[in-house]
Amino acid sequence: MAWSAAHGFQIPASTAITRQRSVTPSVSAAVSPWRRPSSVPAISTRQMSFKCLAIPKCTDIIGIETDKAPEALGPYSQGIIANKTMYVSGSLGLVPETGELISDDIADQTEQALKNVGAILKAGGADYDRVVKTTIMLANVEDFALVNQIYAKYFPHSPAPARSTFQAGALPKNAKIEIDAIAVI
C-alpha cells in the first residue's frame, strides 16, 4: 500500500491513480521549459481518477441521544459520532427536564450550557478532556469575561480546546449563550 505524505490515506498503488495519455512524446523531441511540446496533450485530455479508501461508509455515523441534556429544538441530533470524532450540537442553558432556560442570568446559562455539553459528551463516550474545539455564541459580547471565568472551570487542562467566540444577532429562546463542541473519542 502507498501512503500519503500525512500517512492518513491508504491507497493501493495499482488502483489509486490512473493516467492515460493519448500521445507519448518521443525521446528526441525538443522540450522547452516554457512551453509544452505539441506532441504532449493538455491535462484536460487526460483521464484521471482517484480512489480514496480511507473515508468510512455512511453507516459509521452514529447519533447521540441522552435525556440528561435538553432535546434538540429542531431537526438535528444532540450529537453525532463520525470517524472517531464527536460533534456536539449547540447547547443552550436549558434545564433538561423542562426544556426552559435555567434563568435569565448569563452565568447560570453558561454553567447549564456547559453541563449539557458534558452530558452529551458522556453519552457519546467522551468527556471535557477530549474536546478539541468549541464555539461560543453570545447574545452580548460584553459577557465575554464572565463566560471565560466559568468556561475555564470546565476546561482546566492544557492545552485548552481551540475556540471561537462571537456575538450572535439572536439565539433560540432568547438565550444569552450557546456552546457547541468537537471531541475526539
Side-chain angles (χ1 to χ4, degrees):
M1 296 252 176
W3 287 80
S4 73
H7 301 292
F9 297 108
Q10 285 189 324
I11 305 168
S14 61
T15 60
I17 300 174
T18 59
R19 293 171 39 167
Q20 297 176 349
R21 282 188 160 167
S22 58
V23 179
T24 304
S26 67
V27 176
S28 63
V31 178
S32 163
W34 307 108
R35 196 178 317 163
R36 179 177 33 84
S38 60
S39 61
V40 178
I43 290 176
S44 62
T45 62
R46 295 180 188 174
Q47 295 178 351
M48 299 182 80
S49 66
F50 180 76
K51 183 176 181 182
C52 180
L53 302 176
I55 300 173
K57 297 177 184 173
C58 290
T59 57
D60 293 341
I61 297 174
I62 302 165
I64 301 169
E65 290 185 36
T66 179
D67 58 356
K68 306 233 184 283
E71 291 182 3
L73 298 177
Y76 58 89
S77 299
Q78 289 174 318
I80 291 287
I81 297 174
N83 216 12
K84 297 188 180 188
T85 303
M86 183 185 311
Y87 302 89
V88 177
S89 293
S91 290
L92 305 172
L94 301 176
V95 177
E97 296 79 22
T98 65
E100 298 299 322
L101 290 170
I102 190 162
S103 76
D104 196 37
D105 180 62
I106 183 65
D108 291 343
Q109 287 188 28
T110 302
E111 287 276 354
Q112 187 62 50
L114 286 164
K115 287 177 185 175
N116 293 340
V117 166
I120 297 166
L121 288 167
K122 185 176 181 179
D127 59 24
Y128 296 107
D129 289 343
R130 305 299 296 167
V131 174
V132 295
K133 171 76 169 83
T134 60
T135 304
I136 298 177
M137 292 146 281
L138 296 170
N140 186 348
V141 77
E142 291 179 14
D143 294 327
F144 185 79
L146 177 58
V147 168
N148 273 342
Q149 290 174 356
I150 298 165
Y151 180 91
K153 293 189 303 187
Y154 288 83
F155 298 101
H157 60 280
S158 182
R163 188 179 95 185
S164 300
T165 304
F166 55 91
Q167 182 170 323
L171 295 170
K173 295 197 166 211
N174 292 318
K176 294 189 175 187
I177 189 167
E178 182 172 0
I179 303 172
D180 68 24
I182 300 172
V184 293
I185 53 171

